[in-house]
Amino acid sequence: MEALPLGAFLLKHVSGWWYECCHQDFLTPSQPGIRRAENMTHPDEVSKAPGLLVRPRLLESLDSDRRIRLLCAPAGFGKSELARQFATRLPHCPVVWLDLHSAEKSLENLRTQFAEALDLDELSPSVEEVLKHRKQGLVVLDGYCPEKTTDKWLEHLFEHCPTTLQWLVCTRRLPSWRVGRWLLADELTLLGAEELALTEAEIKLLLSQLKLNRRISAVELQRQSDGWIAGISLHLLSLRSGVDRPFGLLHRNSLVEDYLDSEVLEHLPKEMLSLLRVIAHAPFVDGPLCAFLADDPMALRKLRSEQVFLRRLPGSTDHFTLFAPLKRLLQERYPDQAPPLLAASQWLHLAGAHVEAFRYALAIPDASRGLVSMGQIATRELLIGQNLNYLLEGIDQLGIAWIEQNPQALEVVSRALLLGGRLEQAERTIQLIAEQDFDLHLALSAELALHQGHAQEAQRIGCRALDRLARNERWAQMILCFSCLTRASLTMGDVVTAKRLQHQGIELSRRKGETLFECLLILDEVLIEELAGNLPRALQALDQFDQLLVQGPGSALLQGAALIRRGWLLILTGQERQAREALEEGLLLSCASRNPVACHAPAILAQLDANNGDFATAQQRLADAQRLMHSWNVAEVIYRGVLDLCTARIWMKANHYESASRLLSRVREQYEGEHALTPPSAYPDLYALAGFLQAEVLCSRGSFGEANTLLDQLLQRAEGNAFNIIVCQAQHALAEVVRLRGDLHKAERLLASAAAMAISQGQHNLLMGTHLEAMGSSLQAGPVADLQTAPAPEVELLSRRELAVLSLIAKGYSNFEIAKILSLSPYTVKTHAKHINSKLKVSSRTMATARAKALGLLL
């Protein structure tokens, strides 16, 4: 009998503890009624194996109506177990299960196994004929090895078998099927290693069920394993059984090393293994580099076909990394790979891939060569992929003092430090640039002043820099200067100037073909439209951004920022579930690029958690965000105000008003007064949020007059800045304060105006707020009636504006008063009233009100 590898042997025979420690929901129940042949693995038997997680998110994906399911991932990603779990969910469906792991890889053998599984003999019809007449069932091919002939035969079966017959194929390599065709036909569900990997939440859930003698961080375990199920299982098993007491590192675990040797490395050709030893030390790998290292243009394709744990990096289209445990294992086994990496660095430098050459030079390490490559990096390259992260890591490795002695690299270093929020170091390098390039010095100084909270100074310096850059035709720096001036204008509350500058910048970007800079300016446009109260336009601009970014080389930095902004807009428009998904993905990409805007995602998510009463998770998110910013050396002026305001809001949700009040006072001191800072450029409405929270604190103390005064000031400032979204929110908050003071008539008018603005702006989260319910406003019936109460068939639906007018008519307001409340002309209100009467088929305002209430359009 063939000997089991050490890791597999221990996992099979020593892991009884796992069964005892796991919650019953983690175990797969047995399922009778599944056909079995000699070469089949019966799910009844396998389901009793310990240590198997039930994964609802993946089972839901497989539960779709698509009849072909393909699980394609390297060894140890739980494909077979997921297939068994899925089979148990089909209680009345016959299952044909073929275990092909150790079977001969040929079409004839596959047909033979099919025949045995279907109980066919020599006199029976062929496998093809039997399956063509099988109306119901699930066929599982576990351990399928793609070959051209077998792939073609299987596709033939897919095409000619009944659509009610379902297929599930587990394989380590992607078959040569016409996958695109099946996906477009909506008949194929494809799950790869990224989908099958354990998430951090799943690892936390797993660890919570185990009784280990040592504390294990789920975050660290996920980082070491990249969610590799076999590695995590073996590592935890060894920690429990005492096999791996000296080390807590997964890649040094003897069981994991043995598993990698037996399941991955021994199956590779020698030339591939030789290439792996080299690229394990490489910071990235792509097609051209593999061709250079292996002298084989198809080297990367061969590696990918072998499924050697290659992963695409976030925000990049063509760069890959080795699976983390395998990479660390190979690095320790083969520590000296400097000569081939040095040759690769030289080749990349000559090919113009300067960021990549810089990373290779530091991997060798060769600081001098790295600085030469850094000096050749163009500013736009900082926005590509994860290049900002790579540059900041390189700066940390080299040290800022060393870089200052090499003036050719100062420009890209200064830009990288500014983008990364490391303002003190950026200020040092910008001062050194003044002697050799005064125009660039001015442009960078404007950006620095904006980040430091001095928007007026940034605007003054930026205008001067823009004029000098235009005379010298330095287009790239001009575009970035336009973006800086746009954000400075917004921070100072000048929407009109911001819009004009943004248009100039985006036109210049388009004329010069600078796609990434155009994307950067579209993000500025999104912020302008949001503050102006045009939420649908802001979301449309983000859609345009997505389409444009696809045409370029990809940017984790820009894409992450766009997703976080989209998440916030989705919350404003009342789409919380979609918002969470966008925020989580945006946080991942922003962290991959080391973009300080990453702090906004946990801040927003923390507010959502607090709204749901989960204060512990909310506080943990903010603490994690603060630690992240500290580890990146981000200046506090960039993120401190945002996190403090979110902290105050969470404390208020938990009824800790005094603590929140003290924190808010400190925040407002920074952004008020003669020498106050301007808000962060990504959060120009920060002053408004601070004011809203302070007004709520005052109301909690019964100081309604002070709250009224504060909100009046906020409203006047927002109206002066043309921040219409803040105007709407301020009117809504002011209506509640006025109501609490007892002036119901004025509260109704304010709330009606706020509701009308919220409808036109798309702020559906405001319309769904509890304040509207508390006041019993009939305006609530406007947006709700469209969804909940359908009028009689003979009645034409009223528009949202007509519903707003009708609700005020019902309260007895005149046309002139309605016009003032809704910011319309009296003639427009009169026209709306005529349309309402016509649609409701009535002849007077009184009859219109009665008819609307009868139809459920008004409460």
Side-chain angles (χ1 to χ4, degrees), residues 576-701:
E576 183 176 315
R577 185 180 61 81
Q578 297 92 323
R580 281 185 178 273
E581 295 173 1
L583 290 167
E584 294 286 1
E585 187 178 354
L587 177 60
L588 176 66
L589 289 173
S590 296
C591 289
S593 59
R594 205 185 284 198
N595 185 357
V597 79
C599 73
H600 291 187
I604 300 171
L605 287 168
Q607 294 182 53
L608 294 178
D609 293 330
N611 290 343
N612 295 330
D614 190 353
F615 302 116
T617 300
Q619 292 281 20
Q620 187 60 50
R621 286 189 191 275
L622 294 181
D624 291 343
Q626 181 170 330
R627 279 193 291 269
L628 185 66
M629 295 296 104
H630 182 73
S631 67
W632 289 351
N633 294 320
V634 177
E636 285 201 358
V637 69
I638 292 176
Y639 69 89
R640 175 58 59 193
V642 175
L643 296 185
D644 281 350
L645 286 182
C646 291
T647 301
R649 189 173 187 275
I650 292 169
W651 286 350
M652 290 164 63
K653 282 283 183 181
N655 295 321
H656 301 314
Y657 284 98
E658 288 303 319
S659 299
S661 179
R662 289 192 293 270
L663 184 57
L664 286 170
S665 297
R666 291 199 298 269
V667 173
R668 297 188 69 198
E669 285 175 3
Q670 287 186 299
Y671 299 103
E672 294 179 358
E674 184 179 353
H675 303 290
L677 299 176
T678 50
S681 59
Y683 216 149
D685 52 347
L686 182 141
Y687 77 91
L689 178 57
F692 291 146
L693 293 178
Q694 189 65 46
E696 189 174 342
V697 169
L698 291 170
C699 288
S700 72
R701 298 171 177 171

Side-chain angles (χ1 to χ4, degrees), residues 12 34-43 45-46 79-81 83-84 95-105 109-110 112-114 116-118 138-145 168-172:
K12 183 175 181 180
I34 300 179
R35 296 185 55 84
R36 182 188 183 195
E38 290 183 0
N39 58 348
M40 293 171 56
T41 301
H42 198 282
E45 299 172 357
V46 182
K79 302 183 292 295
S80 300
E81 176 54 30
R84 295 184 185 102
V95 178
V96 177
W97 189 295
L98 274 69
D99 189 344
L100 306 173
H101 286 95
S102 58
E104 182 183 346
K105 317 303 180 188
N109 186 64
L110 182 59
T112 301
Q113 290 186 295
F114 256 115
E116 293 177 358
L118 296 169
L138 172 67
V139 180
V140 180
L141 304 183
D142 188 21
Y144 173 71
C145 183
L168 196 158
V169 181
C170 304
T171 177
R172 294 188 184 182

Side-chain angles (χ1 to χ4, degrees), residues 134-205:
R134 181 64 66 93
K135 299 296 183 183
Q136 190 180 14
L138 172 67
V139 180
V140 180
L141 304 183
D142 188 21
Y144 173 71
C145 183
E147 299 288 343
K148 188 173 183 180
T149 54
T150 55
D151 287 350
K152 187 175 181 180
W153 183 67
L154 270 182
E155 276 208 286
H156 175 77
L157 291 182
F158 297 159
E159 290 175 343
H160 294 89
C161 288
T163 56
T164 53
L165 184 63
Q166 304 179 54
W167 297 80
L168 196 158
V169 181
C170 304
T171 177
R172 294 188 184 182
R173 292 185 287 144
L174 191 66
S176 59
W177 305 338
R178 290 164 292 180
V179 173
R181 170 195 164 182
W182 296 109
L183 287 172
L184 285 174
D186 201 29
E187 293 192 76
L188 174 67
T189 297
L190 175 60
L191 298 181
E194 284 75 14
E195 291 82 15
L196 295 174
L198 287 180
T199 64
E200 182 183 320
E202 287 173 329
I203 295 175
K204 284 182 179 178
L205 191 60

Side-chain angles (χ1 to χ4, degrees), residues 383 385 388 419 487 519-520 522-524 526-527 530 542 545-546 549 555-569 582-601 604 682:
L383 304 179
L388 175 62
L419 285 172
R487 287 176 281 121
C519 289
L520 181 66
I522 289 177
L523 289 181
D524 295 339
V526 172
L527 187 55
E530 176 193 328
L542 283 175
F545 168 92
D546 291 339
L549 193 63
S555 171
L557 184 144
L558 294 178
Q559 190 176 358
L563 282 166
I564 293 173
R565 181 60 59 183
R566 183 182 290 276
W568 174 240
L569 291 173
L583 290 167
E584 294 286 1
E585 187 178 354
L587 177 60
L588 176 66
L589 289 173
S590 296
C591 289
S593 59
R594 205 185 284 198
N595 185 357
V597 79
C599 73
H600 291 187
I604 300 171

Side-chain angles (χ1 to χ4, degrees), residues 229-240:
I229 297 173
I232 293 171
S233 301
L234 288 168
H235 188 55
L236 294 177
L237 171 63
S238 66
L239 293 177
R240 174 72 182 212

